[in-house]
Amino acid sequence: MKRILLSAGLVLLYPAVYAQVAASPPAPPQPLTLQQAVDYARLHSPGLLGAQAHLSAIQANEITAGLRLNPNLVAEGTQMSLSNNDPNGPPFYGVGLQRTFEVGGKRSLRIAAAKANTGVASAQVDDQKRGLDLAVKQAFTGMLQAKLALTIANDNLADYHKTVDLMKVRLDAGDVDRTDFERVELQLAGFENDQTNAQLNLTQASEQLQVLLGEPSVLSTFDISGSLDLPALGSTVEQLENAALAARPDLVAAQRQVNANEAAIHLADAMGKTDPQFGVEYEHSGTANTLGANLQIPLRIFDRNQGEKERTRREADSSRLLLQQARNQVISDVDQSYAAYQAAVQQNARYQQKYLAEAAHVRDNIQFAYRNGNATLLDYLSALQDYRQTNLAALNAQANAQNALHQLSYATATEVNP
């Protein structure tokens, strides 16, 4: 019964919080693709949700900006005496209503300035979302790389176990002595360490990705699916530059900041204008009842909001220069990311088209020769080491190319992966 009452109290006192807790999302579907991971992070990342909540708070300033000035109620009473005979005459009572009238379109300019600031904050949230997308993509690629590295480590360990088993058979048959067998068996430590480290890397990569997805606790069953194969990039660097100039949210934020500062200039000019105050009043004294009116016009002789006018104009000049800097940075980011992608693609192609096959060919030949007594242990171990290093280098090249593609998407604020 107490639990029922507590739940009811939560609904009544904190309906928004209770609704959010009650609608907590289930664990992500298994396994996640790259696009599913990005979409899931956008919906559940606490950092992005916090930024969106802050945007709502900034947008609430538009309500404040649109409020009209409140009127003033004024009441007074004089010459009130406790005696029946007051030599000063009958008591006097008065009540009045006063209101300041804004001129120069101050209210509409305040609303415009508040909306401009909301636009800047909105673009900044979009830029934070862009950063989250990149982080998720890189973590996703890192986990894929760790999974493939673990597969390579398992395959290498299993394959070397076959060599150890074969050498054990030769040892039992008297073809090799125990020292040679132990030298072969000692190499298992390296392969076992590779497997342990690959498993650790996979666990850490999985946890890193889950944190970005907004998971409150690490799921041991979490998994992803995808490939490190690179698609063909069909856009030129000029097309990517134009796409970035049209879509980059940080550039949009810089442009909106210019608009916001220009709106602040208009508001500062309007705030330098005089707002008259008009009032009406009712007065009662003895048997007389009268009505009156008053008008107050402040004389803006000294303070005409000169300081704020100058400040807003300086801020506008600054934001225009920062906009040009942001535009230049966008072009530079795209050019550098495109160059890095091209270099990564070339490096990956070398391994995929040549060195992987050569390393496997050398290993297989030396392995066959060694198992049949036609190669030395040093040659065999050297071939294995070359094969392991080449496979890991090829995997790193693939992952680097994928991350370069993600970086290019980040630089252009578009999905360049066709």
Side-chain angles (χ1 to χ4, degrees):
M1 184 64 180
K2 291 182 178 179
R3 292 182 179 178
I4 296 176
L5 293 176
L6 178 59
S7 299
L10 285 172
V11 174
L12 292 175
L13 294 176
Y14 306 105
V17 175
Y18 185 81
Q20 184 175 359
V21 173
S24 297
Q30 303 293 331
L32 285 179
T33 64
L34 176 59
Q35 188 57 51
Q36 288 174 336
V38 171
D39 294 340
Y40 191 91
R42 288 182 176 183
L43 291 176
H44 305 121
S45 169
L48 184 59
L49 293 176
Q52 291 171 343
H54 181 65
L55 174 60
S56 299
I58 294 178
Q59 191 173 14
N61 290 329
E62 297 177 18
I63 300 176
T64 303
L67 297 178
R68 302 179 186 276
L69 297 180
N70 291 319
N72 296 321
L73 179 64
V74 181
E76 60 176 330
T78 59
Q79 299 181 191
M80 293 178 289
S81 175
L82 299 178
S83 62
N84 293 330
N85 298 319
D86 188 351
N88 296 320
F92 172 85
Y93 303 97
V95 61
L97 191 64
Q98 298 177 345
R99 183 187 173 189
T100 299
F101 290 87
E102 292 184 308
V103 299
K106 292 184 178 66
R107 178 173 175 270
S108 61
L109 291 173
R110 282 199 308 270
I111 295 174
K115 288 184 176 180
N117 289 329
T118 301
V120 174
S122 177
Q124 291 171 342
V125 171
D126 291 339
D127 197 44
Q128 185 169 342
K129 184 188 299 181
R130 180 175 68 110
L132 175 64
D133 291 350
L134 175 63
V136 170
K137 290 177 180 179
Q138 290 176 334
F140 189 94
T141 299
M143 186 174 175
L144 274 182
Q145 181 182 5
K147 288 181 65 177
L148 293 174
L150 179 59
T151 300
I152 292 174
N154 288 334
D155 292 343
N156 288 339
L157 179 60
D159 188 69
Y160 195 74
H161 264 298
K162 295 177 182 178
T163 298
V164 174
D165 294 340
L166 178 60
M167 293 300 294
K168 182 66 169 61
V169 173
R170 295 180 63 186
L171 174 66
D172 295 339
D175 291 341
V176 296
D177 59 26
R178 177 160 295 278
T179 299
D180 287 341
F181 171 75
E182 290 177 349
R183 290 178 65 191
V184 173
E185 191 175 41
L186 280 174
Q187 301 305 315
L188 274 175
F191 290 97
E192 290 170 346
N193 288 338
D194 288 347
Q195 184 191 48
T196 301
N197 292 332
Q199 182 62 61
L200 174 61
N201 291 337
L202 177 57
T203 300
Q204 293 176 336
S206 174
E207 292 185 2
Q208 180 182 0
L209 179 56
Q210 291 185 63
V211 168
L212 290 172
L213 295 182
E215 286 300 306
S217 58
V218 176
L219 303 174
S220 59
T221 58
F222 179 79
D223 196 12
I224 60 175
S225 65
S227 172
L228 292 180
D229 295 336
L230 283 177
L233 184 63
S235 301
T236 65
V237 65
E238 291 79 12
Q239 291 172 331
L240 294 173
E241 288 175 353
N242 292 332
L245 291 174
R248 277 277 289 261
D250 55 340
L251 186 60
V252 173
Q255 178 60 64
R256 290 180 179 178
Q257 187 62 60
V258 173
N259 298 337
N261 288 339
E262 290 175 350
I265 291 176
H266 298 314
L267 179 59
D269 290 341
M271 294 301 292
K273 297 180 180 180
T274 300
D275 295 330
Q277 185 181 74
F278 179 76
V280 294
E281 58 184 16
Y282 163 77
E283 299 172 348
H284 174 78
S285 178
T287 58
N289 297 294
T290 61
L291 292 175
N294 63 79
L295 176 65
Q296 297 183 31
I297 301 178
L299 300 178
R300 305 293 293 267
I301 299 175
F302 304 107
D303 178 10
R304 298 188 301 277
N305 207 34
Q306 302 97 314
E308 191 65 12
K309 291 177 182 178
E310 182 65 17
R311 185 195 68 81
T312 54
R313 282 167 171 76
R314 299 283 182 170
E315 290 288 355
D317 293 339
S318 173
S319 62
R320 293 187 189 99
L321 294 173
L322 292 176
L323 174 60
Q324 183 59 49
Q325 181 186 24
R327 180 184 177 87
N328 296 342
Q329 187 63 52
V330 167
I331 298 297
S332 176
D333 289 346
V334 173
D335 292 347
Q336 294 184 51
S337 298
Y338 186 81
Y341 174 74
Q342 294 295 332
V345 168
Q346 292 176 5
Q347 293 173 358
N348 179 59
R350 294 190 190 106
Y351 285 100
Q352 300 301 324
Q353 299 173 10
K354 182 179 181 181
Y355 296 126
L356 271 178
E358 286 186 355
H361 179 72
V362 171
R363 182 205 60 172
D364 293 342
N365 287 344
I366 299 297
Q367 184 181 69
F368 179 81
Y370 176 71
R371 290 178 179 178
N372 289 276
N374 297 322
T376 66
L377 176 61
L378 183 60
D379 291 337
Y380 177 50
L381 294 179
S382 178
L384 285 179
Q385 182 67 18
D386 291 342
Y387 177 77
R388 291 161 63 189
Q389 291 179 350
T390 302
N391 268 268
L392 291 178
L395 181 58
N396 290 336
Q398 262 194 313
N400 290 339
Q402 279 287 345
N403 283 326
L405 185 64
H406 300 328
Q407 188 67 40
L408 189 56
S409 294
Y410 174 77
T412 60
T414 59
E415 189 55 62
V416 300
N417 187 359

